[in-house]
Amino acid sequence: MNYAIILAGGRGGRFHGNVPKQFVELTSSPMLVYSMKTAQVNKNVDSICVVAPGQYHDEVRKWAEEHKITKFEFLAESGNERYQSVYNGLMTLPAKPRDTVIIMTAVCPFVSQVTMDKLYDALKEWDACITVIKATDAITFSNDGKNVNRTLQKKKLFIQQGPQIFRYNILKQAHKAYLADEERIEVNEDSELVLNIGVECGMVLGDRYCVKVTFPEDLAIVQALYPLFVKQEERYYDNC
């Protein structure tokens, strides 16, 4: 079985709104719905789990019904941190060790079907794989946010996007190891947890339509990109 876990638990403090950003309307639909539709139409995904705050569970069920998300089967409570939400989603699934879990986020509404297919194809070689795009600028590292410790050149740098895909047993083991570590430091990316238990992680190239909505101005960006993204996806289906 191939499961999709869609994270919709953020509080959206940087978005400065009364409604969490993952539930804000984007071209007439809640942002979460776009990720649900992406998983729904992908030929590889068998079942969908949404992880969201309990007070929005009835809304999630209603949106799934309204938009005919027939693969939607599981609903989990979100945690205070991302890793807690992922773990809650994992524990909700009746998955077997070699089943797959693709981790999506509701605040990246425009994930292409090509990217989804690339990730599933990558499982032929890897038990864990992430989506990236090439860095277009150098990145500066600073321990204190004031002084430069190192400037990293862009040639070998990649910016991580979503989704990420894993064998169920690998991701579950990585999360359990992290939770059992009493001296753990903050880690927000599943790929780092997997690397920490010695599992190699591959990567595939995504595209620049996959914008993460973090600030209010990001909503305007994705709204502007929407017609271009739709055209891209139409070309995908025409070539199928």
Side-chain angles (χ1 to χ4, degrees):
M1 286 281 287
N2 296 326
Y3 295 95
I5 293 179
I6 302 175
L7 303 178
R11 295 181 294 273
R14 289 172 291 183
F15 200 74
H16 306 304
N18 295 323
V19 177
K21 57 190 174 183
Q22 63 270 26
F23 306 130
V24 169
E25 279 208 353
L26 170 63
T27 65
S28 77
S29 295
M31 200 180 306
L32 166 64
V33 169
Y34 289 86
S35 295
M36 296 175 77
K37 285 182 175 180
T38 297
Q40 172 70 28
V41 302
N42 188 264
K43 62 187 178 184
N44 300 288
V45 175
D46 298 310
S47 180
I48 296 170
C49 172
V50 174
V51 184
Q55 64 265 37
Y56 285 95
H57 282 193
D58 286 343
E59 290 290 299
V60 172
R61 294 187 185 97
K62 183 187 74 172
W63 294 329
E65 184 176 354
E66 288 177 351
H67 294 274
K68 297 180 172 56
I69 311 297
T70 58
K71 294 180 183 179
F72 171 67
E73 295 186 277
F74 304 99
L75 192 53
E77 179 75 30
S78 56
N80 291 328
E81 303 294 339
R82 184 185 188 279
Y83 73 88
Q84 294 169 327
S85 292
V86 174
Y87 185 75
N88 290 349
L90 290 173
M91 294 300 98
T92 300
L93 302 178
K96 297 178 181 178
R98 293 295 291 173
D99 287 345
T100 70
V101 182
I102 190 165
I103 308 295
M104 306 174 69
T105 172
V107 294
C108 292
F110 299 157
V111 174
S112 73
Q113 292 297 320
V114 168
T115 296
M116 297 282 284
D117 291 346
K118 283 182 182 179
L119 287 166
Y120 281 100
D121 286 342
L123 288 175
K124 298 171 184 175
E125 182 176 358
W126 311 93
D127 286 333
C129 190
I130 65 173
T131 309
V132 300
I133 55 173
K134 292 181 179 180
T136 56
D137 299 294
I139 294 176
T140 294
F141 174 77
S142 171
N143 275 315
D144 60 8
K146 297 179 181 179
N147 298 306
V148 174
N149 295 106
R150 188 179 179 189
T151 294
L152 307 173
Q153 298 306 313
K154 64 185 179 182
K155 187 173 182 180
K156 294 185 179 180
L157 295 180
F158 296 84
I159 299 168
Q160 187 165 327
Q161 289 186 323
Q164 307 174 44
I165 196 165
F166 308 90
R167 294 290 177 188
Y168 176 79
N169 61 324
I170 296 294
L171 189 55
K172 181 179 176 182
Q173 179 187 348
H175 273 268
K176 286 199 167 185
Y178 180 67
L179 291 169
D181 183 1
E182 295 182 356
E183 298 181 358
R184 64 180 179 268
I185 59 174
E186 183 180 356
V187 173
N188 289 315
E189 292 301 331
D190 300 293
S191 55
E192 187 170 355
L193 298 184
V194 166
L195 290 170
N196 286 345
I197 63 169
V199 175
E200 291 185 335
C201 186
M203 61 186 191
V204 301
L205 285 176
D207 63 53
R208 296 190 178 275
Y209 289 108
C210 187
V211 175
K212 181 181 179 183
V213 177
T214 302
F215 301 101
E217 57 266 31
D218 295 330
L219 187 61
I221 292 171
V222 294
Q223 286 173 335
L225 287 174
Y226 178 67
L228 298 175
F229 177 74
V230 169
K231 286 183 180 179
Q232 173 185 270
E233 294 305 279
E234 287 173 349
R235 289 194 296 270
Y236 169 85
Y237 293 114
D238 289 341
N239 294 326
C240 286

